[in-house]
Amino acid sequence: MAAGLGLGFLAVLVIVLWISSPYPDSGPGGALHLAAGLWLLAHGTELVRYETLSGVPAPVGVTPLLLVALPVLLMRRAARLGGACDDDEEVLPATAVFSAVLCGYLAVGALATVYAAGGPMPADPISAAWHVPLVAVLAAAGGVWGAKGRPLGPLPNWLPRGVRRGFVRPRYALALRAGAGGALLLLGGGALLVGASLAWHGAQVQASFLSLTGVWSGRFAVLLLALALIPNAMVWGAAYALGPGFALGAGVTATPLGSAGAPALPRFPLLEALPAAGPGTPLTWAAVGVPVVAGLAVGWFAVRRAREVSYGETALTAALGAVVCGLAMAGLAAASAGPLGSRRLAEFGPVWWATGAAAFAWTLVLAVPVAVGVHAWRYRPAAGPVAGPVAVGADADGDVDGDVPVGGGWHDSGVRELRWELMRKASGTLVPEIAPEPVAPPVPVAPEPAVRVARRAVTVVAGLDLGPTPVAPVAPVAPVAPVDPPVPAVPSVAGVRVLARRKPPV
């Protein structure tokens, strides 16, 4: 299903362009063969163009990265639908869904390779033999994993115990997030460089676009191809900012320090935005700001929000993030480059190992000190208004009360008030600022006049006995005889089961 949808979409697009073209080179069969070749090119397969001026077959290996999204999304969706189930359906194992989807997709891929061999741009069988399965396996695995709820269970038991225990630690998730953030910033910086260069060379880009063809169908095809190559241009811009640059043919490389040689490039709107040949300028040197920002971002994202993490753990997480960023950029550089012909155009695009090494070096040098500094700043000891080394419970003279323990001075250091104030500011309007209640000024109280108590005269009577009166003894109370418990009317029987009396039917 996924392979059929992808082939059908490209076939409809190519047929529409073939119908709208005023001068088609071949019939509808050639258009369908070309659609099959484009579907294989979307997987990274190299195509071979035999009709050249020199007569030497020219390989076409630059894969438009936006075109890769078509088979990946369709394959992933098919795997997710195969792994999902309703409440009344049986849940299929993940391996069964993966195998079924993969086998069907590979069968369609083999048929497409055979069918494209009869077209104007057949696919290289060796290249198709490993590019199509690679894309299909990755997309199907991602779809099945998403259908099962993206579980993060334990690793297989055949791995070493140290490896299985090490991957449980949170440093790897943080390193993955930090490396992905750095790679995204590099791609964003590359897109910014490409957009600025296109705007700078706007006149040349427009002239190239209009000179390629004079009909609207041809211009529409050129526009679609340029849009599909924009992700490639982003990767090339990131490689240019990192320093290694990208190759424009055999012996010609464009870097921020300059570009030597005159490349033999075809006329295309995106290629008109390339920097001019010659030494670099301060404008091209400013491109190094892109990896600087990416390195700072990797260091920022590599800091854990936990006080018990050591500085060594933070530095190691930042270094692992740099490794992830380097690997990601190396893979993107390898996918975006390839040959566009033979001889001088055999090398076209960034070199994957140089781009990955440069990304790793930039992010490692900047991320490790930034991560350690951010960790130290976040968890620095809070300073409060301490009046002096007087312990808690001391009086004005500095004498310590024996009942109050010494060493609890943090209660009076303002730490709690400082944390509460920071939490209130970070929460915005969730915690309103409570103003202190106004205290009324003390009201002076007038002294009450002294009350004079009058003295009473005491009369003394002779012969009056004020002593205690004797009390008569109380007679003892007779003890009460114990009362026996009542005897039940029916004697109790051990082991008897009492049944509830049923009400007779009405």
Side-chain angles (χ1 to χ4, degrees):
M1 177 65 73
L5 287 176
L7 280 170
F9 175 80
L10 292 177
V12 170
L13 181 61
V14 173
I15 287 295
V16 168
L17 293 177
W18 173 80
I19 293 174
S20 60
S21 176
Y23 309 106
D25 293 337
S26 60
L32 293 178
H33 284 87
L34 181 60
L38 290 178
W39 184 78
L40 294 172
L41 180 65
H43 295 78
T45 304
E46 284 190 4
L47 304 182
V48 182
R49 185 164 53 92
Y50 289 98
E51 298 178 359
T52 58
L53 297 178
S54 61
V56 179
V60 178
V62 178
T63 302
L65 293 182
L66 191 60
L67 196 61
V68 179
L70 177 65
V72 169
L73 293 179
L74 291 176
M75 185 65 172
R76 186 175 182 273
R77 183 175 181 273
R80 289 194 63 180
L81 293 178
C85 62
D86 298 333
D87 296 337
D88 55 346
E89 294 182 359
E90 183 181 359
V91 180
L92 296 177
T95 54
V97 175
F98 176 79
S99 302
V101 174
L102 184 62
C103 291
Y105 197 89
L106 294 181
V108 176
L111 294 177
T113 304
V114 175
Y115 183 76
M121 296 180 64
D124 185 8
I126 299 178
S127 179
W130 70 275
H131 278 99
V132 176
L134 177 63
V135 175
V137 165
L138 295 178
V144 173
W145 183 58
K148 299 302 180 181
R150 298 181 178 88
L152 297 176
L155 296 177
N157 295 328
W158 51 267
L159 290 175
R161 183 178 180 183
V163 175
R164 288 187 279 114
R165 294 182 59 183
F167 271 92
V168 181
R169 299 180 180 177
R171 75 160 71 108
Y172 297 102
L174 282 176
L176 185 62
R177 183 187 65 174
L184 288 177
L185 280 176
L186 286 175
L187 294 178
L192 182 62
L193 293 179
V194 172
S197 184
L198 286 174
W200 186 267
H201 302 87
Q204 294 89 330
V205 172
Q206 183 180 4
S208 174
F209 179 74
L210 297 177
S211 63
L212 285 176
T213 179
V215 296
W216 68 269
S217 59
R219 291 178 179 176
F220 182 68
V222 173
L223 180 61
L224 289 180
L225 181 58
L227 291 177
L229 287 172
I230 284 180
N232 299 62
M234 294 169 57
V235 179
W236 290 25
Y240 181 84
L242 287 170
F246 46 86
L248 297 175
V252 182
T253 305
T255 63
L257 299 179
S259 176
L265 300 177
R267 292 187 62 85
F268 193 72
L270 289 180
L271 296 179
E272 297 295 333
L274 294 174
T281 61
L283 192 61
T284 60
W285 300 340
V288 298
V290 173
V292 171
V293 176
L296 297 179
V298 172
W300 177 270
F301 288 124
V303 180
R304 284 181 59 189
R305 296 186 177 273
R307 184 181 294 273
E308 65 273 7
V309 179
S310 62
Y311 292 105
E313 179 74 13
T314 303
L316 179 60
T317 305
L320 291 176
V323 173
V324 172
C325 183
L327 293 177
M329 292 307 301
L332 291 174
S336 65
L340 269 184
S342 58
R343 298 177 183 176
R344 299 188 65 178
L345 292 179
E347 299 176 4
F348 207 72
V351 182
W352 65 271
W353 62 266
T355 304
F360 169 72
W362 275 102
T363 52
L364 180 66
V365 171
L366 294 172
V368 172
V370 168
V372 174
V374 170
H375 178 77
W377 178 78
R378 281 184 181 176
Y379 303 107
R380 66 191 186 280
V386 183
V390 181
V392 178
D395 54 11
D397 299 333
D399 298 331
V400 182
D401 191 0
D403 297 336
V404 180
V406 182
W410 63 274
H411 287 285
D412 290 342
S413 62
V415 175
R416 291 182 295 176
E417 291 79 1
L418 179 60
R419 289 181 179 175
W420 172 255
E421 184 66 18
L422 293 176
M423 291 173 60
R424 188 189 64 78
K425 291 181 179 180
S427 63
T429 58
L430 295 178
V431 181
E433 184 176 1
I434 302 176
E437 298 181 358
V439 181
V443 180
V445 181
E448 298 180 0
V451 180
R452 187 175 181 181
V453 181
R455 297 181 178 181
R456 292 184 178 184
V458 179
T459 305
V460 179
V461 180
L464 181 64
D465 187 8
L466 300 178
T469 304
V471 181
V474 181
V477 181
V480 181
V483 181
D484 296 335
V487 179
V490 180
S492 60
V493 180
V496 176
R497 182 179 180 184
V498 179
L499 300 178
R501 181 179 183 182
R502 294 185 180 181
K503 186 177 181 181
V506 178

